[in-house]
């Protein structure tokens, strides 16, 4: 039986770095025409609220994972707005 902490840790890692491949693609190609800014904002709002929830229930894992997720999404949004005027 896999301990729940392992499952939770793997889930947190996948979530925290889920947008890194998209960030790397945006950075390498300097193109964002195929990126949904609405999705980036939606996920940003969701992980921000999860971080607040984690703080309210005093769960440092939930807080930490969602702060890292939020930070990666902020990077994605910065790249989106930086490269949005470029055309393929």
């Amino acid at each position: 039986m896999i301990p729940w902490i392992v499952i939770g840790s793997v889930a947190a890692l996948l979530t925290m770095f889920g947008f890194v491949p998209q960030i790397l693609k945006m950075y390498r190609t300097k193109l964002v025409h195929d990126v949904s800014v609405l999705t980036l904002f939606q996920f940003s709002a969701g992980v921000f609220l999860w971080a607040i929830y984690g703080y309210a229930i005093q769960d440092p894992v939930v807080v930490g994972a969602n702060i890292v997720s939020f930070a990666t999404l902020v990077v994605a949004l910065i790249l989106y707005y930086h490269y949005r005027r470029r055309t393929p």
Side-chain angles (χ1 to χ4, degrees):
M1 183 72 137
I2 298 174
W4 286 111
I5 191 71
V6 173
I7 292 171
S9 297
V10 171
L13 285 170
L14 290 170
T15 303
M16 287 189 303
F17 302 112
F19 277 91
V20 170
Q22 186 67 61
I23 290 169
L24 293 174
K25 181 180 178 188
M26 287 189 290
Y27 182 74
R28 283 188 201 124
T29 65
K30 314 279 192 265
L31 298 171
V32 295
H33 66 278
D34 58 347
V35 175
S36 169
V37 72
L38 182 59
T39 298
L40 295 176
F41 275 116
Q42 179 183 347
F43 271 84
S44 297
V47 298
F48 183 76
L49 292 172
W50 271 111
I52 292 171
Y53 173 75
Y55 178 78
I57 64 168
Q58 298 180 350
D59 188 329
V61 174
V62 172
V63 173
N66 285 287
I67 286 174
V68 171
S69 297
F70 184 75
T72 61
L73 286 158
V74 167
V75 170
L77 284 164
I78 289 168
L79 289 174
Y80 178 86
Y81 282 105
H82 181 72
Y83 296 128
R84 74 178 185 260
R85 297 186 195 260
R86 293 180 182 237
T87 56

